[in-house]
Amino acid sequence: MSMRNFVLPIFCVASGGMAFAQTDSAARTVADLPAEIEETGERAPSPPPLSSADDGAPVDLATNQYGIGSPASEEQIAQIDIDVMPDGRGLPEGRGTYAEGETLYADRCLACHGENLEGVAELGAPKLVGGRDSLASDQPVKTVESYWPYASTLFDYVHRAMPMDSPGSLTPDEVYALSAYILGQSGITSDDADAVLNAESFAQVTMPNADGFVEDPRGRGQTE
Amino acid sequence: MAERLVALEDQILGGDADEDCDCKDGMFNGLSRRHVLAAGFAVAGGAMTTGRAMAEAPPGAIEYPVQPDPTKEQGRTILDDGGYGSRSQFENEVRWRYPTASLDSSWSMTPLAAGFGIITPSGLHFERHHGGIPTIDPETHELILHGMVDQPLRFTMGDLKRLPSVSRLHFIECSGNGLTEWVQPTLKTVQGTHGLTSTSEWTGVRLSTVLDMAGIQDGAAWILAEGADAAVMTRSVPIDKAMDDAILAYAQNGEALRPEQGYPLRLLLPGYEGNTHIKWLRRLEVSDRPFMTREETSKYTDLMPDGNARQFSLEMDAKSVITFPSGAMKLPRPGFYEITGLAWSGRGAITKVEVSADGGATWQEAALEGPVLPKCHTRFRLPWTWKGEEAVLQSRAMDDTGYTQPTLAKLVEVRGLKSVYHLNAIQSWHIAPDGEVTNVHA
């Protein structure tokens, strides 16, 4: 169950007090036409949008208080805060093994990324492994193994957006397992069947191209 | 054509398209369907005496009977269109989808050759989606701002529309604009070579307003923007940019954003590469360092010849292109033509555009049509008499930082041929003695 799947109903509840909210529980599918003003037949303008702030929230423009917007609770943030950073911040609890990843890969990833993680160009699915030491050549091969500077990006992206046919559906355990398999196939982590990745070991992974990215060196107004 | 382009794109993007596969047929759904339709129309048209009877009004238009003499009968009645107008049935410009293998992750391009002035009609604004176009009810959409702030905040669309607002004209350009053109002239039209740039008037709340409301903490340096699409698209933005001119935009060209432009809310980062203008914006997280998302590491980075890659080249360099005459047109006869095109810079305002008709040997200053706005398309024009001789038309833009648009040779000298993104070289259009206009490297 993706985290995103239960965000929507909660928002619906939260917006129950809003100006345009439907009184019935069914989600609307389109907007109604503006109402007609009886006396003249004109179309009514949209009512001024309501703020989610409490009635009488203080207004003080000098201190950026508009009496508009609401505090976001930790629970509300946690529901959608799914990013993972290079230092391991954001990695969820969980664990997965290379062997579990291999099974999952066959089930959820292979159809697009190929039996040997080689990618299927016709489906727009990129190659995941190989290409190390090719980046300075005439035929650079950019893969997770050869190009991606941080393992955190692999976890973050697979968790948020893969697989294409059911994005965001993989559990943290599944993403750890798939990462263990992809990084194991890349020779970056162990390819022993019982090799484990979890939050702690994941943050220790160093990618081959970790030092391969530079800031754009050009000064202001400088062509190249 | 589609297969060849996909193979080329794959080579450019660093994948492996060499292996062939008999599963190719039927992969290019959008394209093949269109080809089939086009072929069907051609056959039907040829078989009938009134071929046009088979025609459909172009997208965005309604077909009405054409009156033999509109001065001799009443025209169609008011509000026949339901109260929201459509374009003429005789206008047919459409976005063109680059034939990527996936329909979910694809891009469509603005027909720049047909444009006037500097505004792109909302329905022709280029698109780039990584997980399709979500359908979102604005009543249920919220933006959460958290991370290194004193008070995490939650905004409904109602909240955002109640806050102080700004309206600004800005271009958005995908940094992949022109990626097919590094090695050799590949696409034939200006829509294909440059159509990933568009300009709109955007309205919304300055990002600095909501950041001030939340209170940024010491040490904050980056902010993550995240979309509510299937890609849950994420990019890191320097906090200085966020505080400078970034906009939480809910409107485009005087009405709500189009769904494919991020309805109900998108981030607008004037002058920054298109991918950072996160659509369907749902979350902002303030941090002390960049998040190193997929789109700012494995994509949208420029691989240099030494094997290192430039990262966070966020400001789009000054660029220009002649939109008339441009590729795949044919000048009917020698005579007067107004050369016109667009120039833009992600760093500021265009100060000068020069045009050459001899492949860059000599240059003439073009007139800039006002308003000339920072980080916005600027229209240039130059009267030109074509004598029926071979010519190579080029334009080069300068901006107010002193930057001059480079030649392709100059770019390639430094970046090589594998950097994919951020191609802003001078474009050349060859005019043959018969008037044929083609995309060339000159």
Side-chain angles (χ1 to χ4, degrees), chain B residues 97-161:
Chain B
R97 185 180 81 83
Y98 183 85
T100 51
S102 162
L103 282 173
D104 300 312
S105 178
S106 192
W107 55 91
S108 75
M109 308 173 97
T110 296
L112 294 176
F116 302 97
I118 57 175
I119 304 272
T120 309
S122 299
L124 295 176
H125 194 293
F126 86 85
E127 303 162 88
R128 172 69 173 113
H129 317 300
H130 295 72
I133 304 163
T135 301
I136 296 172
D137 183 344
E139 286 180 8
T140 64
H141 189 75
E142 296 198 337
L143 173 68
I144 283 186
L145 166 61
H146 70 110
M148 293 175 68
V149 293
D150 295 332
Q151 174 60 64
L153 292 173
R154 184 172 65 85
F155 296 97
T156 62
M157 289 308 299
D159 286 323
L160 293 171
K161 289 182 175 178

Side-chain angles (χ1 to χ4, degrees), chain B residues 16-33:
Chain B
D16 184 6
D18 294 336
E19 293 170 37
D20 221 323
C21 162
D22 57 10
C23 57
K24 259 183 181 174
D25 286 345
M27 285 298 171
F28 306 100
N29 298 333
L31 200 79
S32 51
R33 213 181 299 139

Side-chain angles (χ1 to χ4, degrees), chain B residues 2 11 39 73 96 110 126 145 147 155 204 214 233 246 252 337 344 382 386 388 391 416 433:
Chain B
Q11 281 168 20
E73 59 174 321
W96 171 70
T110 296
F126 86 85
L145 166 61
F155 296 97
M233 178 58 61
Q252 174 188 13
Y337 294 93
W344 61 96
L382 183 75
W386 181 52

Side-chain angles (χ1 to χ4, degrees), chain B residues 3-74:
Chain B
E3 284 85 347
R4 197 172 66 77
L5 275 179
V6 170
L8 174 74
E9 179 206 31
D10 211 69
Q11 281 168 20
I12 294 166
L13 294 177
D16 184 6
D18 294 336
E19 293 170 37
D20 221 323
C21 162
D22 57 10
C23 57
K24 259 183 181 174
D25 286 345
M27 285 298 171
F28 306 100
N29 298 333
L31 200 79
S32 51
R33 213 181 299 139
R34 205 162 53 225
H35 280 169
V36 169
L37 275 178
F41 281 147
V43 169
M48 297 176 63
T49 47
T50 53
R52 290 186 191 283
M54 284 298 288
E56 271 176 44
I62 298 170
E63 187 183 353
Y64 295 103
V66 179
Q67 299 163 292
D69 182 351
T71 68
K72 295 293 181 286
E73 59 174 321
Q74 301 299 321

Side-chain angles (χ1 to χ4, degrees), chain B residues 398-429:
Chain B
M398 275 138 265
D399 71 19
D400 57 9
T401 67
Y403 181 99
T404 300
Q405 184 182 3
T407 62
L408 182 62
K410 171 97 174 159
L411 272 192
V412 171
E413 192 185 304
V414 178
R415 294 196 208 160
L417 293 168
K418 300 296 174 185
S419 63
V420 182
Y421 304 98
H422 301 107
L423 172 56
N424 70 319
I426 291 169
Q427 168 69 35
S428 302
W429 302 119

Side-chain angles (χ1 to χ4, degrees), chain A residues 20 51-52 70 83 216 224, chain B residues 139 154 159 283 285 415:
Chain A
F20 307 104
S51 165
S52 65
S70 310
D83 62 81
D216 195 326
E224 275 305 325
Chain B
E139 286 180 8
R154 184 172 65 85
D159 286 323
R283 186 167 75 93
E285 181 177 356
R415 294 196 208 160

